[in-house]
């Protein structure tokens, strides 16, 4: 059974996101891990309303900002994927890690 570790990284700071993804990719290449990606998703543009006080009505203009995201897949190499998961990521970065079991092609259920 092969394990696939999927990393999803999101940030409003594109430079920090790109630097972190580049560091992860270089680390995986040095260790000889099989990696697919980074896959780029189109940026999301979010808008947050801002109020002058706690009562409804009087508002500032909304706060608009982009969120950039990248995805990576690490195939096999569980110990290397675990090292990535234990890294200290920048506070402006949101990281999600998902581990999936994949059975080899032609594998039958018992």
């Amino acid at each position: 059974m092969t394990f696939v570790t999927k990393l999803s990284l999101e940030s409003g700071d594109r430079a920090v996101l790109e630097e972190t993804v580049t560091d992860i990719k270089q680390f995986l290449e040095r260790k000889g891990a099989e990696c697919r990606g980074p896959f780029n998703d189109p940026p999301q543009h979010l808008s947050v309303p801002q109020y002058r006080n706690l009562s409804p009505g009087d508002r500032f203009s909304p706060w608009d900002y982009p969120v950039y995201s990248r995805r990576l897949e690490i195939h096999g190499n569980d110990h290397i994927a675990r090292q990535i998961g234990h890294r200290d990521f920048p506070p402006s970065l949101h990281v999600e890690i998902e581990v999936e079991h994949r059975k080899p092609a032609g594998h039958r259920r018992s």
Side-chain angles (χ1 to χ4, degrees):
M1 220 179 282
T2 303
F3 289 96
V4 177
T5 305
K6 298 179 180 182
L7 300 171
S8 299
L9 301 101
E10 294 181 339
S11 180
D13 188 344
R14 188 176 198 164
V16 169
L17 178 65
E18 294 298 336
E19 181 181 339
T20 303
V21 169
T22 301
D23 288 347
I24 291 171
K25 187 78 172 170
Q26 289 173 349
F27 173 78
L28 294 172
E29 287 173 359
R30 279 194 314 268
K31 295 292 186 175
E34 182 184 346
C35 177
R36 294 195 181 142
F39 303 108
N40 301 333
D41 295 328
Q44 292 179 322
H45 294 281
L46 303 177
S47 181
V48 179
Q50 299 184 80
Y51 297 94
R52 291 186 189 274
N53 52 43
L54 295 177
S55 60
D58 199 14
R59 289 185 180 193
F60 292 112
S61 58
W63 176 40
D64 298 317
Y65 64 97
V67 176
Y68 304 98
S69 60
R70 302 289 181 270
R71 292 175 289 117
L72 293 163
E73 290 183 359
I74 305 168
H75 292 260
N77 300 305
D78 304 334
H79 62 286
I80 294 171
R82 194 172 299 113
Q83 288 177 3
I84 296 288
H86 288 290
R87 288 182 117 177
D88 289 328
F89 291 100
S92 64
L93 199 63
H94 175 77
V95 179
E96 291 184 13
I97 300 173
E98 178 184 342
V99 178
E100 181 180 303
H101 291 214
R102 289 198 184 161
K103 296 182 180 174
H107 180 77
R108 289 185 176 182
R109 286 187 165 182
S110 328

